[in-house]
Amino acid sequence: MQAADVRAIVAETLAEQQRIGRDDIDAMVLKAVATTLTSFGIDEDDRKELRSDFQHLRRCRRGVEQAQSYAFKAVITVIVTGFVVAVWLGIKATLGK
């Protein structure tokens, strides 16, 4: 056996170990996620329903954020308009004397 053959065998063995390690890690992660969801009372078979629930919550959150943004803009508009009206009335009263 030559050094190149040994290197190829070592490289192949390391690649196989990494693949097996990744598979084990993936299996552990899936088991941990399933266990966590089960502890919250969510069955693994309810993934589509859970996804729909999260999408609904996201739409609700975005709607509330948009409403807050519009409300903030409306309040700023009322304040600025009141200030401009007060300045205009002040100028009108000053010029009217």
Side-chain angles (χ1 to χ4, degrees), residues 9-81:
I9 291 171
V10 169
E12 185 178 321
T13 304
L14 289 174
E16 181 68 18
Q17 285 178 347
Q18 285 181 343
R19 187 187 61 76
I20 291 171
R22 284 190 203 122
D23 291 345
D24 290 343
I25 291 172
D26 289 344
M28 285 188 292
V29 168
L30 286 175
K31 185 177 180 182
V33 168
T35 303
T36 303
L37 291 177
T38 304
S39 71
F40 287 129
I42 300 168
D43 291 331
E44 191 174 340
D45 299 332
D46 294 339
R47 289 183 186 189
K48 288 182 181 180
E49 190 173 338
L50 181 63
R51 183 181 301 129
S52 296
D53 291 344
F54 283 130
Q55 288 172 347
H56 176 73
L57 287 173
R58 180 174 289 160
R59 282 193 302 270
C60 288
R61 179 184 52 84
R62 286 182 180 166
V64 168
E65 288 173 352
Q66 188 176 23
Q68 287 174 342
S69 174
Y70 288 148
F72 178 73
K73 289 175 185 175
V75 167
I76 295 299
T77 302
V78 168
I79 291 171
V80 169
T81 303

Side-chain angles (χ1 to χ4, degrees), residues 1-11:
M1 242 187 219
Q2 294 183 0
D5 293 334
V6 172
R7 285 188 193 119
I9 291 171
V10 169

